[in-house]
Every structure is written in C-alpha cells, then in structure tokens.
Amino acid sequence: MADTGTNGIDGTLRRIEQRLTTAARTMIEQRAQLAAGAQPPAPSDAEALANVKSRLEIARYALNEVREGNLISDADPGAHFAWLTAYVRELTARVAEAEATGGSVAQLRTALQQWAKGDGADPGRLVAALVDTLVARERQRVADAAAAAQALAARQAAARQPRVRTDEEILQEAIRRKRAEAGPAFDPDQRRLPGDVKSVLVVNGAEYHGANGRGGQLSALTLALVPQLVDRLEKWTETGCAEVAALDRYLVQANFGSAAAAMTAIDQGALRGMLIGTVCLYDRTAHHPGTWEVRTPCEQCQQWLKRAGIVAYTKGARS
C-alpha cells in the first residue's frame, strides 16, 4: 500500500492540487461533475486551449514532485521522470508555436494527438492517468461534502425534534410529584387512611392514577377481573388497593367492555411491559407530616401484576 502521508502519493497529489490555477481547477471540477464513464462535451477553441495548458501545468507540477523524490503513483518513478520531462518539453513547444504563429487550436490538438500515438504514448498515458486521479479525488470530495451536509442536516432536524420521554422517565416524574403532595389529615383511629397510598400506571406515555380507599368507585369490570388473577393470602380487598385503582382507570378508558375481554387481552400479552409505581405515606403522626416513599406491591398485587405482565417500579422502595 502506498504511503499516504506528507511524503507519500497522497501528499504529492495534495500539493499539486493546491498549486493549480483557476483554469486547471475548473477543468478538474467540470470533469468531476460528469457521470462516471461519460465523455465531456466538445469544448470551444478557448476551452480546448485552456485544457491543454491545464494538462501542461499539472505535468510541470508532477515533474517537480518527481524531481524531488516524491511519488505520483505506485509505478517506477524513474520512468515517470523521463515521461514527464518529454511531456512538458513537447507541450511547451507546441503551445508556444501555436500562440506565436496564430495557428488554430484544432491544428495544435491534431499535432499533440499524432505525438501521443508515437513517442508520446507513455507520457500521454501517464498524464491522462494523473488527471483521472485528480478528477476522482475531486469527485470523492464532492461526495464526502454532500454526505457531511446531509448528516449535518439530519442531526439538526433531529435536534429540532423534542425528545420523546420513555415510560420509565414519565413514571419517575409522576412519582416525584406524588412524593411532593401533602398527605391526608391525621386520624389516630385509622391504620391506613384513604389516599395515603398512591399509584401511577404508565401506558405508552399516558398516566393512570389510583389511590387506596376508593370504595365503590371501581368499575364492575375490574371488580370481576381482579379476583380471577389473585389468590388472597391476607385480609385484602380490591377497593382498598391503589394499584387496582390505577388499573381500573386504564381498563375503563381503554374500553375493554368486560372482564372476559380484559382477560383475553392479558392472555395475549396486551398489558405486558406496562409500568406501575406506588408511594405510601410512612411515619405520619399528629406532630409529624410523614414522608412519601416508594413501596413494593403487596403479595396480592404481585400476583396480578405478574399475571398481566405489568412491571412494578421499586427503585429505592421501602418494604
């Protein structure tokens, strides 16, 4: 593999490109704009003469590089020096003669073509290959610039789009809000106060809230469904459960219609992956407001949550 550093082929080609005049650059850029394999349109006399001078200019710069020991390709640099010397000598003489005598550009091109069929065959092929290489480099630069512009536009478009929060992020924010709420009034005669356990079920970005002690507010659908999912292990009722209340809000708004329809959806995995989080008020006394803490679901809720495939958020939970 050829060296692509400062003293390698890539460095040589960069130096040649940097020294090109406007006319030579224009020739390279115009050829780079052509489709691969396409022939350029017939140039005018002025354009044809400019192209000849541009090729001569490229050959001179390449000869300087080879003279200084730098490579222009992987081939023999000794042959390059001889061919480039012949090319520069021939084109310089022919261009000077045409300009001095007012000869037509067509005659100049014919003379150069005849030379390229004889002694100038190898020099002509070398310079043609060098020009093709410079054209390919320019074409690649244009493609790279277009790709970079497209990537930048995509990044800018993405930056303008609001980031969609995940269900877990939505649930965490809902839990933070609930922990900041005031608790229910203190009642020394009640172990569990209505509203001192609060749950949030998050489904595709939507929140469904529930609290304990809702009593008869649960739907008939939920009251019929939950007993099918739970084996009671302790004194527990659906109407006193914040998690069930949050589930009820979802089932009603999702319009399942019946416990049988909801059970079918559960069996088909429709609820799998939903998230639920619960906070409970701890250490509340007549002289202390207590603190809201994340808690793990009770044993009954763990049963129906597992059966439905709903995931409980328990990070930092207090048992």
Side-chain angles (χ1 to χ4, degrees):
M1 181 178 292
D3 177 17
T4 59
T6 302
N7 297 322
I9 296 172
D10 192 62
T12 300
L13 296 174
R14 279 201 305 270
R15 284 190 294 274
I16 292 174
E17 289 167 336
Q18 291 166 359
R19 295 166 183 166
L20 295 180
T21 62
T22 300
R25 288 182 184 278
T26 300
M27 182 190 75
I28 297 296
E29 291 168 359
Q30 288 176 342
R31 289 178 176 271
Q33 292 169 6
L34 295 173
Q39 293 298 317
S44 66
D45 281 356
E47 291 171 335
L49 182 58
N51 287 345
V52 171
K53 290 182 175 180
S54 295
R55 287 176 175 271
L56 174 57
E57 177 184 332
I58 292 169
R60 283 173 173 162
Y61 290 139
L63 178 57
N64 289 338
E65 292 290 336
V66 173
R67 182 180 288 116
E68 293 175 7
N70 300 320
L71 298 175
I72 60 172
S73 80
D74 292 320
D76 179 17
H80 287 172
F81 182 81
W83 293 343
L84 289 170
T85 299
Y87 191 94
V88 170
R89 182 172 56 245
E90 184 69 21
L91 260 70
T92 300
R94 295 288 186 176
V95 170
E97 179 183 353
E99 292 181 331
T101 61
S104 72
V105 175
Q107 291 175 336
L108 169 62
R109 295 179 67 185
T110 299
L112 293 175
Q113 288 169 0
Q114 290 299 321
W115 177 71
K117 292 178 181 179
D119 294 340
D122 289 332
R125 281 194 292 268
L126 174 61
V127 175
L130 181 56
V131 171
D132 289 343
T133 300
L134 296 177
V135 169
R137 286 167 61 86
E138 176 62 23
R139 186 177 289 126
Q140 186 61 54
R141 267 193 294 271
V142 171
D144 291 345
Q150 186 176 18
L152 176 60
R155 289 195 298 271
Q156 291 174 336
R160 289 192 293 270
Q161 295 295 324
R163 190 179 74 84
V164 178
R165 294 190 301 163
T166 65
D167 281 358
E168 183 172 353
E169 290 172 330
I170 292 172
L171 178 59
Q172 290 173 339
E173 176 57 31
I175 289 175
R176 283 193 290 270
R177 292 197 308 269
K178 289 193 175 298
R179 294 187 66 184
E181 294 175 1
F186 177 74
D187 185 343
D189 296 326
Q190 287 188 276
R191 178 175 176 272
R192 280 265 73 88
L193 299 171
D196 67 358
V197 183
K198 297 180 287 190
S199 290
V200 183
L201 176 67
V202 179
V203 182
N204 294 328
E207 300 177 16
Y208 302 89
H209 297 255
N212 65 325
R214 291 188 63 198
Q217 296 179 40
L218 294 180
S219 67
L221 184 160
T222 300
L223 291 173
L225 174 67
V226 172
Q228 300 179 52
L229 306 174
V230 172
D231 293 325
R232 287 178 174 79
L233 301 177
E234 61 181 46
K235 186 178 180 180
W236 177 84
T237 62
E238 299 90 338
T239 57
C241 181
E243 288 92 341
V244 173
L247 174 68
D248 180 64
R249 290 286 180 86
Y250 165 71
L251 294 175
V252 171
Q253 293 188 35
N255 197 27
F256 279 100
S258 68
M263 182 64 79
T264 298
I266 289 174
D267 290 339
Q268 293 176 347
L271 278 62
R272 186 163 303 280
M274 296 179 181
L275 299 178
I276 195 166
T278 303
V279 295
C280 183
L281 189 63
Y282 290 93
D283 303 324
R284 183 170 177 79
T285 67
H287 306 291
H288 189 278
T291 57
W292 291 103
E293 304 290 346
V294 176
R295 78 163 197 180
T296 57
C298 68
E299 293 184 54
Q300 275 67 234
C301 284
Q302 289 181 35
Q303 292 180 52
W304 66 261
L305 288 172
K306 181 178 180 180
R307 179 72 171 77
I310 299 174
V311 179
Y313 180 83
T314 59
K315 185 177 181 178
R318 177 170 171 175
S319 300

